[in-house]
Amino acid sequence: MSAVRVEREDSVAVLIIDNPPVNAASWEVRNGLLAAVQSACADPALRALVLIGAGRSFIAGADIREFDKPLRDPQMPAVIAAIEACDKPVVAAIHGAALGGGFELALGCDARIATAEALVGLPETTLGIIPGAGGTQRLPRLVGTAVAIEMVSSARRVKAAEALRLGMLDAVVEGDLRAAAVRHAREMASRKRRLRDLPLPEERAEAVETAAANALARGKGRAAIAEAVAAVRDSARLPFSEALAKERATFQRLRESEEAAALRYLFFAEREAARVSGLEAAKPRPVHQVGVVGGGLMGSGIAVCFLDAGLPVTLVERDQGALDAGVERIRAIYHRGLQAGRLSQEEMAKRVACITPSLSLAALASADLVIEAVFEDMAVKQALFRDLDPLLKQGAVLASNTSYLNLDRMGAVTKRPADIVGLHFFSPAQVMRLLEIVRAEATAPDVLATALAMGKRIGKVSVVARVGEGFIGNRIYSAYRFQCEFMLEEGAYPEEVDAALVAFGFAMGPFAVSDMSGLDIAWATRKRLAAAADAATRFPEVLNRLCEKGRFGQKAGAGWYRYAQGARRGAVDPEVRAIVDAVSREKKVTRRVFTPEEIQHRALAAMVNEAALLLREKIAERASDVDLVMVNGYGFPAQRGGPLFWASRRPREEIAAALDSVAAASGAGFRRGDVDAVLDGLRPK
Ligand code: 3H9
């Protein structure tokens, strides 16, 4: 079947784009559109055209799967040129998504009308590219340069009501979109309204400068943002055709970049992660009410995730003080949103009204999903599960937010181990995109399916892991941390390691992160692990020495760095250097200088090796799941695609050499993963 078919309504041709599931603008779509537009334009019996999508959207954008190879003609700009050359008005009828090339096609039409639930926007920068079919030139002619800069650089998806207010749409309609579009097309008679012919709206130069400066500050280090800002600004600096050609050339250049390849990989990795083996026939259980036990930082953030998705939340705490503090934390989160203009007073009141605070676990009797976010201790969690078991209704899903502990042991104290699942949120839960869903031995398929459906509903990137110390993320992060600390013993200093990893693209280095989260937690975990480990396993030493001196990080005013009262940025501390030097001496290591590149390769190779082990142990299902976890939960730079994607783009010998150094530093207990086999699966064919 053709991707574009034409139906006639008297003198109006309706071009229906039909390329399930989201009408991506593949070659078939572009080719079909071009032929249909040209033929309708040449038909003297026709007076106007309507473009509309079949299924659930208009056009979700270019077909990203085509981006790894040179694009085949006709391209979207040729389709738009044909629409502009046609002397009959063309109306875009938008429902669902009109994003990227889809919205650019709509901008190439003479009018845009949409349903109230439609979403429009130019999200290209999230894929490391800029719009390539005139979006950066036509959008400013409707909304002004400042707003266009904000939209293109933030990749924001705009709801119909706002799009109408801003002038991106001509009308928002209730009821039958197609009928309304045909009517609109008829009413246009033969009037054309090409956006390329419109002047840019008047605006203050200052507003444009501010928008550009904000966009560049937020998009620091991301090539696509700077290019997108420059392209939008060209709309005021260059003749239309020249700016259009320049935009296209930039789009093509960026499309071929490593950064764009990495971001495309992550786009598909997110969708792939939802396909979990063994769930083919599983149907999620309905969830209408959620319970959260524990109103601390984590619990309150988790509650906000569900409140934001329109689900009522019962929040349970042990005593009135803690309960009040939990509710207050939720209010504070919303208050910050209110101040930043992210939500209205009315919306805030509505969400807060959906919280039911309670001091009794019995208040969770009607909840469909209960998540515990209490102290990270097996005995505490088991006691809670024991108490909850007889109170929850049959079929309720009981989730733990544990980040390390063995979920099988938690489930074992209940009569409903099949209903137990891990929902590991990252702090702050309402902000971080990652959700590690942990599948215990006994977790029922429909319980796992429920967790995945919930993850999607609250807008998280969900990745399923099996039970194992630290699941996917914390286990890899811990291997990385160990390696960074081994490098200290061999000659590096914390600030050198941090600087090298920030230069790689991490927002913060591992030691700055450790100071922020607190060294005492890692210390306790290591003591527990060391007690169970064999003699061959090597543990780094410096952290222990710091903790023995009470240097627990920022909260203590000292950790890997020294902190002035209330400061969040630490200063290099000679005492830390002295401790590091002393540990090297005790271990009889001759200290040597590390280059930033060597630090990066060692630290990342440790991640890669641990990932290969996780895949062998089947704790992670696929390589791209691991990359998703590290990018969305641990600050790994998205433009590098994740540790495994990054390594798959480096020379084999380089990775092998880095792995040898990791092995040498890690001692006799080191286990090597099948790194090459894993990377082979990711290397470009
Ligand atoms: C662009 O347009 C550049 C231009 O400027 C260049 C000049 C023309 N391509 O997300 P879902 C697949 S760049 C190929 O689960 P939802 C997706 O992989 C593009 N495939 O559904 C999945 O496949 P599968 C700018 C695509 O309802 C299936 O469709 N546009 C594309 O949760 C369902 O997807 C964007 O960045 C695509 N463009 O969300 C928008 N899009 O079933 C990207 C989706 O095999 N898309 N697929 O796993 C989205 O944001 C969401 O898909 C959307 C629907 C909101 C539309």
Side-chain angles (χ1 to χ4, degrees), residues 21-22 24 56 60-65 67 76 97 99-101 104 123-124 127 129-133 157 248 251 267-268 271 275 456:
V22 293
R56 60 187 215 221
D63 188 335
I64 312 168
R65 285 166 307 188
F67 279 12
M76 189 57 92
L99 298 170
E104 292 178 289
E124 281 88 343
L127 294 165
I129 53 174
I130 69 166
R157 292 152 192 235
R248 185 73 188 172
F251 157 75
F267 177 86
F268 289 112
R271 272 108 197 133
R275 280 187 263 273
K456 178 145 186 157

Side-chain angles (χ1 to χ4, degrees), residues 389-533:
D389 193 15
L391 297 174
L392 301 189
K393 70 177 182 191
Q394 209 187 347
V397 173
L398 178 51
S400 168
N401 176 51
T402 181
S403 48
Y404 274 98
L405 302 174
N406 186 320
L407 208 64
D408 295 326
R409 288 180 51 205
M410 276 181 232
V413 302
T414 71
K415 292 193 185 66
R416 51 174 92 210
D419 294 341
I420 310 293
V421 69
L423 290 180
H424 179 204
F425 287 81
F426 291 71
S427 187
Q430 75 281 8
V431 176
M432 297 293 287
R433 287 192 75 212
L434 180 64
L435 178 64
E436 238 180 0
I437 298 179
V438 188
R439 176 182 204 167
E441 222 24 77
T443 305
D446 65 338
V447 169
L448 194 58
T450 310
L452 280 158
M454 271 300 109
K456 178 145 186 157
R457 181 146 175 206
I458 61 176
K460 299 292 180 201
V461 173
S462 302
V463 175
V464 174
R466 287 199 183 261
V467 173
E469 175 80 23
F471 311 122
I472 299 176
N474 278 342
R475 178 150 153 209
I476 294 186
Y477 198 77
S478 157
Y480 160 82
R481 277 280 305 273
F482 268 43
Q483 206 49 226
C484 291
E485 292 180 39
F486 289 146
M487 285 190 275
L488 299 186
E489 297 179 2
E490 291 167 47
Y493 289 108
E495 62 277 15
E496 291 167 358
V497 175
D498 277 356
L501 291 159
V502 168
F504 179 79
F506 282 91
M508 287 168 88
F511 296 112
V513 171
S514 167
D515 271 354
M516 211 172 72
S517 52
L519 278 67
D520 43 343
I521 300 170
W523 195 29
T525 308
R526 284 185 197 182
K527 281 191 220 163
R528 180 168 58 80
L529 289 180

